[in-house]
Amino acid sequence: AQSVTQLGSHVSVSEGALVLLRCNYSSSVPPYLFWYVQYPNQGLQLLLKYTTGATLVKGINGFEAEFKKSETSFHLTKPSAHMSDAAEYFCAVIRGKLTFGTGTRLTIIP
Amino acid sequence: GAGVSQSPSNKVTEKGKDVELRCDPISGHTALYWYRQSLGQGLEFLIYFQGNSAPDKSGLPSDRFSAERTGGSVSTLTIQRTQQEDSAVYLCASSLHRTSTYNEQFFGPGTRLTVL
């Protein structure tokens, strides 16, 4: 079975600081991994995805994530947080249907 | 349309009543998914459609839940005899087609269901 674990249900960072949201996966086969963002009262929006090829993937809004097979990780980063980044972030793995992590709520401190 | 749409955006109902939630996928998308987002349970898969058939219903929590899709487009999720634990946001997603591996899913804004 495939699953993802997100470490930290709440993360707070200061505006301009590094954002790091952690995701570890368990999979018996090479996974396809996603990060989704959910703004208040909105649906899920795809930030970025890893399927095959380059292990460092860049997404929208300045986010990127690196697939590290040796660490079974797919952490999401952004060099400089912006107030508009405040949202809930979900890591997910797919095999037909998406299996989501429990989510991390990101708060930006002015 | 430009994106996945869902209606209603909010639904408040009394315990024991039936509700219908609607999803309009992106035009041309043959695969359609329903998910539920609730406190304490996170995001859960409910059911998947390929065209009008539902090869994967494994996430439906009970026989009070059912879904159909007609014309390979609009889908309706029906919850009969609603219970308070059914309160959640119900999300619909669509994708071009489903393979055994990956296909990007586009999500609607969800329907927030509150059962009093």
Side-chain angles (χ1 to χ4, degrees):
Chain A
Q2 298 187 117
S3 68
V4 289
T5 302
Q6 290 184 244
L7 302 177
S9 58
H10 290 85
V11 171
S12 295
V13 301
S14 298
E15 190 175 14
L18 171 72
V19 175
L20 171 61
L21 304 183
R22 299 176 187 273
C23 173
N24 287 87
Y25 67 91
S26 63
S27 174
S28 57
V29 297
Y32 295 97
L33 294 159
F34 301 77
W35 275 99
Y36 280 87
V37 60
Q38 187 177 35
Y39 298 104
N41 300 313
Q42 295 187 29
L44 293 164
Q45 181 181 4
L46 182 67
L47 268 180
L48 51 79
K49 59 184 183 285
Y50 169 78
T51 53
T52 58
T55 56
L56 180 64
V57 294
K58 295 186 184 299
I60 61 171
N61 302 338
F63 284 92
E64 61 183 37
E66 186 171 9
F67 172 69
K68 291 187 177 180
K69 186 176 180 181
S70 60
E71 298 177 7
T72 61
S73 68
F74 191 57
H75 301 331
L76 181 71
T77 61
K78 181 174 180 178
S80 177
H82 191 275
M83 295 300 295
S84 61
D85 295 328
E88 188 148 20
Y89 293 79
F90 294 91
C91 183
V93 63
I94 194 169
R95 192 160 184 85
K97 64 190 180 192
L98 282 164
T99 301
F100 291 91
T102 50
T104 298
R105 184 169 299 278
L106 178 64
T107 300
I108 310 298
I109 303 167
Chain B
V4 178
S5 61
Q6 293 185 246
S7 61
S9 54
N10 280 283
K11 176 72 176 179
V12 180
T13 190
E14 294 179 347
K15 178 181 172 181
K17 301 281 190 183
D18 298 351
V19 295
E20 283 190 354
L21 312 180
R22 176 188 167 107
C23 172
D24 256 297
I26 292 172
S27 178
H29 281 192
T30 60
L32 185 147
Y33 307 78
W34 283 97
Y35 296 86
R36 179 169 71 172
Q37 185 175 24
S38 54
L39 286 174
Q41 298 296 324
L43 276 156
E44 306 170 279
F45 166 80
L46 296 178
I47 187 171
Y48 148 70
F49 286 91
Q50 180 60 47
N52 291 335
S53 64
D56 189 347
K57 307 178 183 179
S58 61
L60 294 179
S62 76
D63 59 7
R64 296 187 295 103
F65 287 71
S66 63
E68 64 175 15
R69 189 179 185 195
T70 55
S73 181
V74 172
S75 176
T76 302
L77 177 69
T78 301
I79 310 172
Q80 296 178 309
R81 305 181 303 282
T82 53
Q83 304 294 312
Q84 288 182 332
E85 60 263 28
D86 300 334
S87 296
V89 175
Y90 290 82
L91 292 167
C92 177
S94 70
S95 64
L96 272 172
H97 56 81
R98 192 196 199 198
T99 67
S100 62
T101 53
Y102 150 74
N103 218 322
E104 181 175 347
Q105 298 178 21
F106 296 83
F107 283 80
T111 293
R112 181 175 298 277
L113 174 66
T114 303
V115 182
L116 302 177

